[in-house]
Amino acid sequence: EVQLVESGGGLVQAGGSLRLSCAASGFTFDDYAIAWFRQAPGKEREGVSCFASRDGTTYYANSVKGRFTISRDNAKNTVYLQMNSLKPEDAAVYYCATGFGAPARYNSLNQNWYEFWGQGTQVTVSS
């Protein structure tokens, strides 16, 4: 059974940092693309960043480029999202998602490509 468990969310002041973790189990980590999405109240879910293939190709939403960094620890089957210089508009529930294979670039941050989802972790940014 594929499971994704996010952690690391919380309350932070604008300009601060958080590191989110996504612990994965039930599948061969290298065979799956894995991504971070977020959803703020009243807004659609949006892709933030992803590992699109086993060669480590990564993609970022323009809104987070230069501030967020995705990384992974294959030994721990865990993906991280380091978030720096946080802004109030980054506040959202952050979700980890995965799907088998490697999405084309245009699908890399498309929620419809991803099959399995975690329960989410709340990030709140105070101004």
Side-chain angles (χ1 to χ4, degrees):
E1 179 187 4
V2 173
Q3 285 194 328
L4 301 169
V5 180
E6 302 96 333
S7 61
L11 172 65
V12 64
Q13 286 188 332
S17 298
L18 280 175
R19 189 177 79 156
L20 306 183
S21 299
C22 172
S25 61
F27 60 98
T28 303
F29 204 49
D30 280 349
D31 291 340
Y32 283 65
I34 194 161
W36 287 98
F37 288 80
R38 67 186 181 186
Q39 188 168 21
K43 295 188 177 181
E44 291 189 359
R45 188 174 296 181
E46 64 169 338
V48 175
S49 182
C50 75
F51 275 107
S53 66
R54 64 168 59 203
D55 69 2
T57 300
T58 58
Y59 297 109
Y60 293 91
N62 288 335
S63 58
V64 306
K65 279 182 183 177
R67 299 188 299 121
F68 290 12
T69 303
I70 192 170
S71 63
R72 64 196 293 166
D73 184 334
N74 288 341
K76 296 182 178 180
N77 278 13
T78 300
V79 173
Y80 304 98
L81 186 68
Q82 178 67 43
M83 306 186 296
N84 298 328
S85 302
L86 282 161
K87 304 175 182 180
E89 52 263 43
D90 293 318
V93 177
Y94 282 71
Y95 298 91
C96 182
T98 192
F100 180 76
R105 181 167 186 168
Y106 66 88
N107 262 338
S108 60
L109 295 179
N110 177 357
Q111 63 175 321
N112 295 317
W113 189 90
Y114 293 85
E115 185 177 0
F116 303 99
W117 293 79
Q119 83 289 349
T121 186
Q122 178 73 51
V123 172
T124 304
V125 183
S126 63
S127 56

